[in-house]
């Protein structure tokens, strides 16, 4: 890999990124030797267009992960650090804004072909929303599962500006009996007869007025790898529905029977989408709304801190498909919890920053945990879920430090 | 070779050409100062091959659709699990893998 370089991992939960900047970090003796497998090394790249330094999970089609230290730098994830995930390698390398069109067809009165100028002229909506891959943090599943071995960086938060999907559907005139919309982008499979990526949403969800056809992200046009020029934004739902390079919307009069909705991205229909490894015969449903998560962002696994000195902690939380009601932090492995101070509310679907001054730890290992409860009263579980696809992790994460 | 045949199929299917023809107009403007500008990028390709003397089958069949990095980052799985994954690539994702190469690909993945 001539365009990237390797950085050894400290362990599976965190990594030494920008070690010089985080002077407190400390290599536990022997850990690097024990963790020498490819899966436990982060490979960084700056080779991708419109992207800064990213963790390279795969070159083609690209899987790029946001380095964790980015999440400590603010509540919004910069466009050039926002994670990237494509299913097929047939990604256009050129998008011409003058000729690009979005087609709306199927079970409608007036099939439409809209240019970007027409879309920009329509009334807009704007909000902040977290975009998170269904398999974010998959590498932490135990027993481990196949798929992109993301750590926590297959997520990001941005301010999105665009047109409500409802307004576009209304313009086409959805016919009675419509049950869903199926969205497609410009990306194509690279082998004949393979299933092109497309995802569907129930018609009422598509017309809720919040689902957005976005053309701006953090005040700029989207990077090509994040879906330029148009991307579906489905706030509170996993990223698989946020179709990139959105070019085609089909209104369906019958449930979507294509592969990507019918067969892929399915979860056990159980609490926390959790089953026992090896279990079979359970019902499955398409993955859907997100669940609450929280992260300590200013300290990572293996950090060394001063015993007896108050710990200034900060992090990010999000409520899934609801706002953040509270974030609690434990410095004793879950024995006692203190409520963190929430920073400015950027909206129901946004990351929310939090701060806490924890009492100085006694010498020895310190197990820090952060736990988010959303405004619907849903709290992160203390036990990790498990399913064969590595979807929907939201266990309370633990950061282990050493106080000396 | 299988790979060469597929690359030819991709080229003749026109997937390598832009989805929309380029024009002289490079911006579209809307109210509120929103401007969208045409974008042309070069996506990096990977020349990384699966390492080892027994990697010919996987290199000949699997790099058409995806580069090697994600595969090499998978946790260890038993042979049956790898057979299931390779079969899914063939059945679901229409990977044009020569049937005779499947055992060598599965062996390679299971031995890592």
């Amino acid at each position: 890999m001539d365009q990237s370089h390797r950085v050894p991992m400290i362990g599976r939960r965190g990594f030494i990124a920008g070690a010089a900047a985080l002077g407190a970090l400390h290599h536990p003796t022997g850990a690097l030797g024990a963790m020498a497998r490819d899966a436990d090394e982060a490979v960084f790249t700056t080779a991708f267009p419109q992207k800064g330094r990213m963790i390279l999970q795969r070159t083609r089609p690209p899987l790029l992960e946001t380095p964790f230290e980015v999440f400590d730098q603010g509540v919004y994830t910069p466009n050039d650090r926002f994670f990237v995930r494509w299913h097929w390698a047939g990604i256009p390398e050129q998008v011409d804004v003058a000729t690009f069109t979005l087609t709306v067809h199927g079970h409608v009165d007036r099939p439409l072909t809209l240019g970007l100028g027409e879309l920009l002229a329509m009334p807009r909506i704007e909000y902040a929303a977290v975009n998170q891959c269904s398999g974010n943090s998959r590498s932490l599943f135990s027993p481990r599962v196949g798929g992109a071995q993301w750590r926590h960086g297959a997520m990001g938060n941005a301010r999105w500006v665009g047109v409500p999907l409802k307004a576009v559907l209304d313009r086409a005139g959805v016919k009675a009996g419509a049950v869903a919309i199926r969205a497609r982008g410009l990306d194509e499979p690279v082998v004949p007869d393979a299933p092109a990526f497309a995802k569907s949403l129930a018609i009422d969800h598509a017309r809720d007025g919040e689902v957005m056809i976005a053309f701006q992200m953090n005040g700029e046009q989207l990077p090509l790898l994040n879906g330029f020029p148009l991307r579906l934004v489905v706030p509170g739902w996993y990223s698989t529905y946020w179709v990139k390079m959105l070019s085609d919307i089909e209104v369906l009069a019958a449930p979507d029977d294509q592969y990507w909705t019918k067969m892929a991205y399915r979860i056990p229909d159980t609490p926390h989408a959790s089953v026992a490894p090896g279990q079979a015969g359970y019902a499955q449903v398409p993955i859907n709304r997100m669940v609450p998560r929280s992260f300590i962002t200013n300290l990572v696994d293996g950090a060394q801190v001063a015993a007896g000195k108050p710990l200034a902690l900060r992090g990010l939380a999000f409520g899934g498909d609801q706002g953040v009601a509270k974030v609690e932090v434990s410095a004793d492995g879950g024995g006692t919890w203190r409520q963190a101070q929430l920073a400015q509310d950027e909206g129901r679907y946004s990351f929310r920053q939090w701060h806490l001054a924890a009492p100085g730890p006694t010498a020895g290992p310190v197990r820090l945990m952060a736990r988010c409860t959303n405004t619907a009263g849903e709290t992160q579980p203390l036990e990790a879920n498990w399913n064969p696809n590595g979807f929907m992790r939201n266990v309370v994460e633990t950061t282990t430090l050493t106080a000396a | 070779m299988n790979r060469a045949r597929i690359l030819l199929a991709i080229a003749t299917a026109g997937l390598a050409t832009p989805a929309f023809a380029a024009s002289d107009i490079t911006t579209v403007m809307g109210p509120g100062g929103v401007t969208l500008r045409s974008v042309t990028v070069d996506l990096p390709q990977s020349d990384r091959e699966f390492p080892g003397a027994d990697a010919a089958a996987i290199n000949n069949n699997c790099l058409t659709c995806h580069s090697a990095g994600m595969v090499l980052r998978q946790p260890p799985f038993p042979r049956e699990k790898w057979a299931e994954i390779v079969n899914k690539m063939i059945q679901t994702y229409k990977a044009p893998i020569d049937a005779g190469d499947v055992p060598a690909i599965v062996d390679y993945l299971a031995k890592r």
Side-chain angles (χ1 to χ4, degrees):
Chain A
M1 310 268 9
D2 52 355
Q3 290 158 321
S4 57
H5 56 281
R6 283 166 171 268
V7 173
M9 298 292 294
I10 202 168
R12 288 209 285 119
R13 285 215 181 84
F15 51 88
I16 306 174
L22 294 166
L25 290 178
H26 171 72
H27 291 238
T29 311
L32 297 179
M35 293 291 178
R37 287 185 58 87
D38 267 359
D40 294 312
E41 294 178 351
V43 178
F44 290 91
T45 177
T46 55
F48 285 80
Q50 303 172 301
K51 289 287 155 185
R53 187 169 176 270
M54 301 292 285
I55 299 171
L56 181 65
Q57 294 282 358
R58 184 176 66 195
T59 302
R60 176 180 169 273
L63 299 176
L64 307 176
E65 176 170 347
T66 302
F68 193 73
E69 73 266 19
V70 172
F71 299 117
D72 194 45
Q73 292 162 10
V75 73
Y76 291 108
T77 313
N79 291 359
D80 68 347
R81 311 302 295 280
F82 214 95
F83 86 98
V84 168
R85 192 268 187 266
W86 292 83
H87 297 84
W88 288 112
I91 302 168
E93 293 183 305
Q94 179 173 42
V95 175
D96 186 315
V97 294
T99 56
F100 176 92
T101 56
L102 170 64
T103 300
V104 184
H105 64 109
H107 202 58
V108 295
D109 294 325
R110 297 171 295 278
L112 296 177
T113 300
L114 296 173
L116 289 173
E118 289 169 279
L119 268 173
L120 291 187
M122 292 177 72
R124 295 173 192 164
I125 54 175
E126 173 176 357
Y127 50 77
V130 172
N131 177 22
Q132 180 185 217
C133 181
S134 308
N136 191 26
S137 316
R138 178 182 289 120
S139 66
L140 303 176
F141 270 60
S142 179
R144 292 183 66 177
V145 295
Q149 298 297 309
W150 305 113
R151 294 164 200 93
H152 297 314
M155 63 176 187
N157 185 46
R159 284 201 77 79
W160 308 92
V161 175
V163 172
L165 175 57
K166 179 182 193 303
V168 170
L169 292 173
D170 286 351
R171 206 157 142 174
V174 173
K175 285 183 177 171
V179 299
I181 67 107
R182 180 167 51 219
R184 259 215 68 177
L186 294 180
D187 48 318
E188 295 274 2
V190 293
V191 289
D193 305 322
F197 185 74
K199 288 296 288 185
S200 60
L201 285 176
I203 192 72
D204 289 347
H205 190 181
R207 286 195 293 195
D208 72 356
E210 284 195 321
V211 175
M212 181 198 297
I213 299 170
F215 48 75
Q216 272 197 336
M217 175 180 176
N218 292 327
E220 298 169 350
Q221 67 184 35
L222 282 65
L224 182 131
L225 287 173
N226 294 107
F228 181 77
L230 301 176
R231 160 167 225 175
L232 209 56
V233 170
V234 186
W237 280 42
Y238 285 96
S239 186
T240 184
Y241 294 97
W242 299 39
V243 172
K244 299 182 290 297
M245 286 190 182
L246 177 70
S247 60
D248 187 282
I249 296 170
E250 182 179 359
V251 178
L252 306 177
D256 186 3
D257 61 356
Q258 291 187 359
Y259 169 74
W260 290 102
T261 291
K262 193 179 178 188
M263 307 295 287
Y265 284 103
R266 293 173 78 79
I267 54 170
D269 190 11
T270 59
H272 305 292
S274 197
V275 291
Q279 189 179 333
Y282 48 84
Q284 296 189 76
V285 294
I287 197 166
N288 49 84
R289 68 180 189 92
M290 297 195 292
V291 286
R293 298 194 75 177
S294 53
F295 302 91
I296 294 163
T297 58
N298 67 321
L299 290 169
V300 298
D301 261 345
Q304 210 163 49
V305 296
K309 194 180 159 197
L311 268 181
L313 300 177
R314 65 173 177 261
L316 292 176
F318 60 105
D321 66 339
Q322 305 289 333
V324 172
K326 64 175 176 181
V327 173
E328 299 161 291
V329 177
S330 173
D332 57 5
T336 57
W337 297 86
R338 295 166 165 265
Q339 204 159 323
Q341 187 184 345
L342 298 179
Q344 183 173 311
D345 185 358
E346 301 285 331
R348 168 177 167 183
Y349 299 114
S350 175
F351 279 156
R352 186 117 184 226
Q353 285 191 304
W354 57 264
H355 301 267
L356 181 79
T362 52
V366 182
R367 294 181 67 220
L368 297 176
M369 303 164 113
R371 175 171 78 179
C372 173
T373 300
N374 72 18
T375 52
E378 183 177 7
T379 299
Q380 290 180 254
L382 286 164
E383 196 174 317
N385 72 335
W386 192 91
N387 54 61
N389 288 319
F391 288 155
M392 260 178 95
R393 181 179 171 94
N394 83 319
V395 62
V396 171
E397 305 290 348
T398 302
T399 304
T400 303
L401 316 177
T402 303
Chain B
M1 291 302 294
N2 213 5
R3 259 173 93 189
R5 195 171 73 224
I6 295 311
L7 292 172
L8 180 67
I10 293 165
T12 53
L15 292 174
T17 58
F20 289 86
S23 73
D24 294 337
I25 303 163
T26 57
T27 60
V28 169
M29 285 186 276
V34 174
T35 301
L36 302 181
R37 292 177 195 283
S38 293
V39 171
T40 302
V41 300
D42 276 318
L43 296 179
Q45 301 297 310
S46 174
D47 55 6
R48 186 181 190 184
E49 296 214 329
F50 291 94
D54 52 352
I58 194 168
N59 280 321
N60 285 339
N61 285 283
C62 298
L63 297 174
T64 302
C65 289
H66 56 76
S67 54
M70 176 177 159
V71 180
L72 293 170
R73 287 183 187 90
Q74 295 303 300
F77 292 129
R79 196 178 191 285
E80 309 78 68
K81 174 72 177 171
W82 279 118
E84 186 187 307
I85 292 170
V86 172
N87 190 50
K88 183 180 182 183
M89 294 296 155
I90 297 169
Q91 298 299 326
T92 302
Y93 297 115
K94 309 300 176 192
I97 298 177
D98 290 336
D101 282 344
V102 170
I105 294 169
V106 173
D107 284 346
Y108 178 88
L109 292 165
K111 262 200 314 200
R112 275 192 63 250

